[in-house]
Amino acid sequence: MEHGAESMQSYGNTIMNGLLQTEEHTRAVIESAAPNIRLAETDRRVQARMIRQRRITGDDPLHLSTAISEAVLHQQIGGARCLKAQLEHVARLIESHPDTLEVRVVPFSSTGHAAVGGSSFLLSDFPSGRLPTMLWHETATSTKLTSTHLAVREHGIAPAGATSSAFSREDSLAMIKAASGDL
C-alpha cells in the first residue's frame, strides 16, 4: 500500500465489506439485519453506502485490504441471483483496481487465525496523522466506532492472521469467479 494514502483493513466472516457491495446486495443485507426499519430508513442507509463506495473507485481511492471467510462466497443474502451479481461486481473491482484493492479469501480448510470466531470489523488509517486509527466493529446487536488504543491494537493483529491463512490475491479472485460461476 502506498505511503500517505488513506487505508483500511477489514475482516468479514459472513458478508462482503460494505464498500464492495452492489446496491441490491446492500439492500438485502440491511433488510435482513434490520427487518423492522422503515423503507425510508433503508433507502437512506443504502444511499449512504453507495456514496461511501466512491472512495474505492474515485480519483483519490483509499487502499482497502480485506480478508473474507469463504462463507461470504456462499451466503445467499438476497438470493442466488443477488449473490452472483455481487461476486461478479467484486471480481470486476479487483481486476480494475489492482494497486488499491486487495480481497483475500480465507478457505474453510483454514485451521484458524486471529479473527476466527469474531465478527466483522474495519480499521481506518488516515494519512495526515492528525486522526488516530479508527475501529468500526459490528456485531449482530450493535455497532461501535472507537479509537481506544487497546481495541485498535487487538483488532490490528487479526487482519494479518486472517491474511496469512488466506489464499493469494490471484487464487482468491479465481475462487470468487468460480463461486459466481456455480450460481
Side-chain angles (χ1 to χ4, degrees):
M1 303 265 170
E2 178 183 317
H3 181 68
E6 182 180 351
S7 65
M8 292 185 169
Q9 296 179 42
S10 72
Y11 174 73
N13 57 357
T14 57
I15 61 171
M16 187 66 68
N17 181 301
L19 292 172
L20 304 175
Q21 293 174 3
T22 64
E23 184 171 343
E24 180 184 14
H25 192 75
T26 296
R27 183 171 299 283
V29 167
I30 290 169
E31 289 174 349
S32 66
N36 296 324
I37 64 171
R38 297 186 329 262
L39 179 59
E41 178 63 21
T42 298
D43 290 343
R44 280 192 293 275
R45 290 181 186 194
V46 170
Q47 182 181 25
R49 190 166 292 174
M50 296 300 104
I51 290 169
R52 285 193 303 269
Q53 288 182 1
R54 295 178 191 160
R55 293 293 297 136
I56 297 292
T57 59
D59 293 336
D60 184 25
L62 65 84
H63 292 248
L64 175 63
S65 176
T66 186
I68 58 172
S69 167
E70 184 177 346
V72 173
L73 307 181
H74 304 287
Q75 186 66 54
Q76 293 186 16
I77 299 169
R81 185 187 57 75
C82 180
L83 178 59
K84 181 176 182 62
Q86 173 60 54
L87 296 176
E88 290 170 348
H89 173 72
V90 169
R92 283 190 303 273
L93 285 174
I94 293 168
E95 291 174 329
S96 62
H97 301 283
D99 296 331
T100 56
L101 178 60
E102 178 180 24
V103 178
R104 304 274 298 273
V105 177
V106 179
F108 289 141
S109 61
S110 172
T111 58
H113 54 82
V116 76
S119 55
S120 298
F121 64 88
L122 183 120
L123 289 165
S124 296
D125 287 311
F126 304 94
S128 72
R130 288 183 236 155
L131 295 172
T133 298
M134 299 296 295
L135 166 66
W136 174 260
H137 186 224
E138 297 180 69
T139 68
T141 58
S142 68
T143 57
K144 180 179 179 181
L145 180 65
T146 184
S147 62
T148 305
H149 176 73
L150 182 60
V152 168
R153 184 175 61 81
E154 288 176 345
H155 283 80
I157 296 166
T163 300
S164 70
S165 296
F167 287 123
S168 69
R169 293 172 80 139
E170 296 77 17
D171 290 345
S172 292
L173 177 58
M175 191 172 198
I176 292 167
K177 288 180 173 183
S180 171
D182 290 344
L183 294 169

